[in-house]
Amino acid sequence: MSDQGATPTPSTAPPPTIGRPPKVDSRGRTSGPIDSSNLEAKDIPEIEYFAAPGPRGYPPMTGFLDIWDVDMMKGQNESNKIDHHTNLYHSDNLIVRRGQEFQVKITFNRPYKPNEDKIAVEFVIGSNPQYSKGTYIPVFPTKARQSNWGGRITQTNENVITMGITPAASCIVGKYHLYIAVQTPFGIRRTKRENSRDLYILFNPWAADDAVFLYDEEERQECVMNEMGIIYHGAYDDISERNWNYGQFNYGVLDACLYIMDRSEMPITNRGDPIKVTRKASAMLNSHDDEGVLVGNWSGDYTYGVAPTSWTGSTDILLSYASSKMPVSYAQCWVYAAVFNTFLRCLGIPSRVVTNYYSAHDNDGNLKIDIILNDNGRIDRNRTKDSIWNYHCWNECYMSRPDLPPGFGGWQVVDATPQETSDGMYRCGPASVLAIKHGEICFPFDAAFVFAEVNSDVVFYSRKNDGTMEPVKVNQTHVGRMVLTKAAGSEGRRDLIDQYKFPEGSPEERTVLEKAEGFGCKREKSTPPVADVDVVLPTLEISVGDDFELSVEFINCSDQKRTVDAYISGSVVYYTGVSGKEFLLKTPTVTIQAQKSVKELMTVESRSYMDHLVDQANLHFIVTGKIRETGRIVTAMKVIALHNPKLTVELTGSGKLNEEMMATVQFTNPFSINLESVYLRMEGPGVMEPKSRYYSLIPGGSSLTWTEPFTPQRAGKTRLFATLDCSGLRQVCGQASITIDV
């Protein structure tokens, strides 16, 4: 029978899935699920018999060596935590570093007999412990029987032995469970699982065999042990500082960092490799692909979260993520870098936050930032898609790179700010800083992207009426002016730009750029004739709400008169280089006599820009123009970061350990307008956990005072940081330093 003309039967199958496909497990590919959880643990049986029971059942094991007590020697002032530089961690458990011996005391029911008794200290991590995977490690006290972790008896006192255990310098980093096992002729008897015997093993920058070994003690103290950070922002010629409490030793932060790796489903077996850990974390610190830690927001609307400028430290962010299992709102580049820094230092990987001034974000995959001008010299904002961030923060972490040729270990760039995808995910690095400097941009991971951030040229194109474009000016020195980080051991700053590139115009720099071109990076080869008129914009220090005078100087370097048809534009701008509202546009025609200069003066009133300010209160001035006599284009750019009012932080009290003190924050609204929905935050390493206060209204010209008691928990030098934030005024900060005596 023919089917022609038959009515099709409707299908009962569900329609194909639209959007993200369902997650597929490992069934059918592996014999069991991939072990990717440090929180889940499989208990080892207390008794393992060697043979099946006889007719009368299993024989009793009570007549053999028995364990009465296990002392982890985990006190803050005991040798384990002091020797392993972990005594600052607020944790009830033992925390040690790999590649270095620690001690455990074991009490038996009788004196230990090394020639007769067979014992092992067993370490287990993950839900599927296996000796071959390095997730089950037995450690023996005799030289005759050793695993890849070292074990020895360091002291014997009647029924008590002290055993020294040295984890392998490449072992898995995370939370282990400890058991004491005794072998008898009939089987193995173990201690019960007790949470008090859990211990954390971290990376060890003090151990020469560890991949993160850092030889400089001052750098180790700064990049592993220091909780007080200074993050640089503002403009290249007007640098500002932001204090940050990394809080890597605070209670719960270490568990939160381990949860981040669990949440990423990173296999337990990969967690001893700092390359894999940092690459995975650079993706997990942002929420773009995998429900990671922080939600990025550059819009200026932070109604449903905390403004990035309001945060004072990493602790609240990490604890919130670990408890809620949801991304935390909101972050921008310095917040990503600061929280990433906490993650790295907490796990023992030396790290620092760096700030690149005039950081290129190139949308075309070349070494050019393209700025399009129309035929008469005015910038075409609709066609200019590339941007130059006033600054951009990322991290450097220290490690060996056995996956690269010798010599490219050391400091590596990692960046959690979601800018571009890498292998399908928003992440960046680790990229060798030395490889970036020498143009080896084919090396993994993402060296080409970071190379462009510090080496791109700014190319001005003139777009003709017929759509053709001609390069009219190339600025090879604007991008990557400085790379700043906090100096080790002080509150000063250090410029790392010489670590990223050779001096501008040097033969070495030309060689590096030619090498990068060989790897596919395109540069602007043309060299447009240089205009014989220079334009200079002044460096100004202006506070929010000030009127000011802008002076634009035109300098005629030729022997003939020059006439410039100029465009002077001022706009509010995000720190990412994205323009907001244009508040100033002047089109003067400037005539300059030979070898002379002329200044164009204009008054900028605060009312023209105040209502349009966006985050961080930056004003961007661009001067472009065409010289009538030669047709050449002149350009100049300047970012002016407006200065905000400050908070006053005062501390009163004895300044002694465990004695209550008072912190007082004061602020006066300098404007005639009211500030609404104002949030204040304050915290300090070792002295105050994060505190916050909300004020619905601060009338214009009025003041507020916030007093908060605190009790110092740690002796030494420290600081308290405070921020004030509302939609009408961002990035208001204050701090106070203090030395706590015992």
Side-chain angles (χ1 to χ4, degrees):
M1 179 178 176
S2 173
D3 288 335
Q4 291 182 354
T7 302
T9 302
S11 173
T12 58
T17 302
I18 298 174
R20 180 178 294 182
K23 185 172 289 187
V24 179
D25 60 26
S26 59
R27 185 176 53 191
R29 182 169 58 89
T30 61
S31 57
I34 296 173
D35 191 357
S36 61
S37 176
N38 200 172
L39 298 179
E40 296 179 10
K42 181 179 181 180
D43 288 340
I44 296 180
E46 290 182 44
I47 297 177
E48 281 187 81
Y49 287 100
F50 293 149
R56 297 182 180 180
Y58 288 111
M61 292 192 179
T62 53
F64 302 97
L65 185 70
D66 194 13
I67 300 101
W68 280 5
D69 185 53
V70 180
D71 181 2
M72 300 296 290
M73 302 175 68
K74 59 187 178 181
Q76 298 297 112
N77 298 317
E78 293 190 79
S79 60
N80 277 339
K81 288 191 173 181
I82 292 174
D83 293 347
H84 286 254
H85 310 277
T86 59
N87 56 312
L88 296 181
Y89 284 87
H90 289 202
S91 174
D92 297 329
N93 292 91
L94 178 61
I95 302 173
V96 296
R97 300 184 188 275
R98 63 188 193 176
Q100 181 177 340
E101 186 177 77
F102 66 93
Q103 312 287 327
V104 174
K105 281 185 180 179
I106 307 170
T107 302
F108 299 107
N109 62 329
R110 60 168 173 78
Y112 169 71
K113 302 174 183 178
N115 295 327
E116 299 178 12
D117 298 324
K118 295 181 179 180
I119 66 168
V121 182
E122 299 175 321
F123 296 87
V124 173
I125 186 171
S127 58
N128 187 25
Q130 300 178 57
Y131 181 81
S132 62
K133 300 289 187 183
T135 52
Y136 165 74
I137 308 98
V139 181
F140 306 100
T142 60
K143 291 183 179 180
R145 190 179 185 194
Q146 290 285 309
S147 65
N148 61 344
W149 289 25
R152 67 189 182 110
I153 294 178
T154 60
Q155 188 176 354
T156 301
N157 183 11
E158 296 183 349
N159 294 8
V160 181
I161 67 168
T162 301
M163 188 164 168
I165 299 163
T166 305
S170 59
C171 76
I172 295 166
V173 167
K175 186 176 184 179
Y176 287 78
H177 311 300
L178 179 144
Y179 301 87
I180 308 296
V182 177
Q183 182 177 329
T184 73
F186 304 107
I188 296 173
R189 183 171 60 187
R190 292 185 177 88
T191 53
K192 293 182 179 180
R193 161 78 190 281
E194 289 190 15
N195 292 337
S196 63
R197 295 176 190 157
D198 293 345
L199 75 158
Y200 300 84
I201 298 181
L202 310 179
F203 292 99
N204 192 351
W206 284 268
D209 293 335
D210 198 304
V212 302
F213 171 66
L214 179 59
Y215 56 87
D216 188 309
E217 176 61 19
E218 187 177 43
E219 290 281 10
R220 285 196 294 250
Q221 290 299 320
E222 179 66 41
C223 297
V224 180
M225 302 300 293
N226 192 8
E227 293 177 274
M228 294 182 290
I230 298 176
I231 302 173
Y232 299 98
H233 64 108
Y236 157 74
D237 50 6
D238 188 12
I239 296 164
S240 299
E241 298 179 355
R242 176 184 285 108
N243 290 284
W244 193 274
N245 180 14
Y246 294 126
Q248 66 265 35
F249 305 125
N250 285 354
Y251 186 82
V253 169
L254 178 54
D255 283 324
C257 294
L258 298 181
Y259 169 71
I260 290 170
M261 291 194 285
D262 280 2
R263 184 68 178 267
S264 73
E265 299 184 354
M266 182 181 191
I268 291 284
T269 52
N270 290 347
R271 299 188 191 184
D273 185 342
I275 300 171
K276 294 177 180 177
V277 168
T278 55
R279 182 147 177 82
K280 178 64 75 172
S282 75
M284 276 303 297
L285 264 292
N286 68 71
S287 64
H288 261 55
D289 309 295
D290 37 27
E291 294 294 302
V293 179
L294 284 159
V295 179
N297 186 347
W298 284 261
S299 71
D301 181 3
Y302 310 119
T303 305
Y304 299 103
V306 176
T309 48
S310 185
W311 298 112
T312 51
S314 305
T315 303
D316 270 356
I317 294 170
L318 289 169
L319 296 186
S320 175
Y321 181 70
S323 62
S324 71
K325 312 293 190 288
M326 295 291 292
V328 179
S329 303
Y330 293 106
Q332 292 176 6
C333 72
W334 73 90
V335 182
Y336 285 114
V339 177
F340 201 173
N341 214 52
T342 301
F343 174 91
L344 295 167
R345 290 187 183 183
C346 184
L347 294 182
I349 301 174
S351 62
R352 57 196 183 192
V353 175
V354 304
T355 301
N356 178 35
Y357 282 91
Y358 294 136
S359 189
H361 187 184
D362 173 25
N363 288 298
D364 306 321
N366 52 35
L367 289 178
K368 301 185 299 178
I369 297 297
D370 303 330
I371 297 179
I372 314 301
L373 309 176
N374 60 25
D375 198 29
N376 55 13
R378 184 178 178 182
I379 188 169
D380 187 338
R381 298 186 185 277
N382 292 328
R383 290 187 170 87
T384 299
K385 302 300 183 184
D386 293 347
S387 64
I388 303 171
W389 293 35
N390 299 343
Y391 66 89
H392 177 51
C393 299
W394 60 66
N395 301 84
E396 288 182 0
C397 54
Y398 199 90
M399 66 184 72
S400 62
R401 288 298 300 269
D403 58 324
L404 301 182
F408 289 97
W411 291 108
Q412 313 287 317
V413 171
V414 286
D415 190 350
T417 301
Q419 296 185 90
E420 303 290 339
T421 58
S422 171
D423 296 333
M425 300 184 74
Y426 281 95
R427 57 185 167 186
C428 180
S432 166
V433 173
L434 195 61
I436 293 162
K437 180 174 182 176
H438 288 273
E440 301 289 355
I441 60 176
C442 61
F443 289 169
F445 298 90
D446 310 308
F449 182 80
V450 183
F451 184 87
E453 288 184 296
V454 296
N455 282 294
S456 290
D457 296 336
V458 181
V459 183
F460 293 85
Y461 290 92
S462 178
R463 186 177 186 276
K464 309 300 181 184
N465 291 330
D466 61 1
T468 59
M469 293 199 299
E470 174 189 2
V472 292
K473 184 177 180 180
V474 179
N475 188 334
Q476 298 177 335
T477 62
H478 185 74
V479 168
R481 292 286 187 91
M482 283 192 303
V483 178
L484 293 185
T485 192
K486 180 183 177 297
S490 76
E491 294 184 16
R493 57 191 183 226
R494 178 184 174 192
D495 188 359
L496 303 173
I497 193 63
D498 62 332
Q499 308 295 309
Y500 281 82
K501 58 183 182 180
F502 291 100
E504 298 283 358
S506 65
E508 294 89 348
E509 187 213 23
R510 286 194 295 271
T511 301
V512 166
L513 292 174
E514 288 170 1
K515 184 187 294 184
E517 285 186 90
F519 290 122
C521 284
K522 298 178 182 178
R523 297 178 62 220
E524 181 56 55
K525 291 294 190 66
S526 62
T527 54
V530 178
D532 52 18
V533 174
D534 291 335
V535 181
V536 178
L537 282 163
T539 298
L540 301 173
E541 290 194 10
I542 305 162
S543 295
V544 173
D546 284 356
D547 300 338
F548 62 94
E549 191 172 76
L550 180 69
S551 170
V552 182
E553 186 175 13
F554 295 82
I555 304 171
N556 184 357
C557 303
S558 74
D559 296 326
Q560 299 177 350
K561 183 183 74 172
R562 290 290 182 255
T563 304
V564 179
D565 294 318
Y567 290 85
I568 303 173
S569 170
S571 58
V572 297
V573 65
Y574 296 87
Y575 85 94
T576 57
V578 176
S579 292
K581 176 73 173 180
E582 186 177 57
F583 63 85
L584 173 70
L585 178 61
K586 300 289 185 182
T587 58
T589 298
V590 184
T591 301
I592 319 115
Q593 299 301 321
Q595 299 295 323
K596 299 290 184 181
S597 66
V598 171
K599 289 186 177 180
E600 281 287 321
L601 301 177
M602 56 205 75
T603 299
V604 178
E605 296 182 347
S606 61
R607 63 183 182 183
S608 67
Y609 66 79
M610 278 294 289
D611 290 342
H612 309 295
L613 284 181
V614 293
D615 282 6
Q616 303 185 47
N618 293 317
L619 305 182
H620 191 206
F621 293 96
I622 298 181
V623 180
T624 60
K626 179 183 283 189
I627 303 172
R628 288 183 181 178
E629 291 80 2
T630 63
R632 303 293 175 217
I633 298 294
V634 297
T635 65
M637 298 185 294
K638 174 72 72 173
V639 173
I640 296 176
L642 300 182
H643 292 205
N644 284 320
K646 298 290 185 182
L647 294 178
T648 301
V649 182
E650 294 182 352
L651 307 178
T652 55
S654 64
K656 293 185 177 181
L657 192 67
N658 296 321
E659 292 188 10
E660 187 175 85
M661 298 180 64
M662 303 298 290
T664 302
V665 179
Q666 295 178 315
F667 173 74
T668 299
N669 181 357
F671 309 119
S672 58
I673 60 173
N674 298 335
L675 298 177
E676 299 179 356
S677 299
V678 180
Y679 287 90
L680 274 82
R681 290 175 176 267
M682 179 166 50
E683 64 179 294
V687 290
M688 181 186 289
E689 294 181 351
K691 305 287 186 181
S692 62
R693 184 67 62 90
Y694 172 77
Y695 294 86
S696 60
L697 181 71
I698 305 177
S702 68
S703 300
L704 68 82
T705 300
W706 170 28
T707 300
E708 190 73 37
F710 67 96
T711 303
Q713 301 296 314
R714 189 189 311 160
K717 293 182 178 180
T718 188
R719 296 196 301 271
L720 261 74
F721 322 134
T723 64
L724 177 147
D725 200 272
C726 64
S727 60
L729 187 63
R730 303 284 186 201
Q731 208 158 258
V732 179
C733 307
Q735 65 156 346
S737 299
I738 187 173
T739 299
I740 304 299
D741 299 321
V742 178

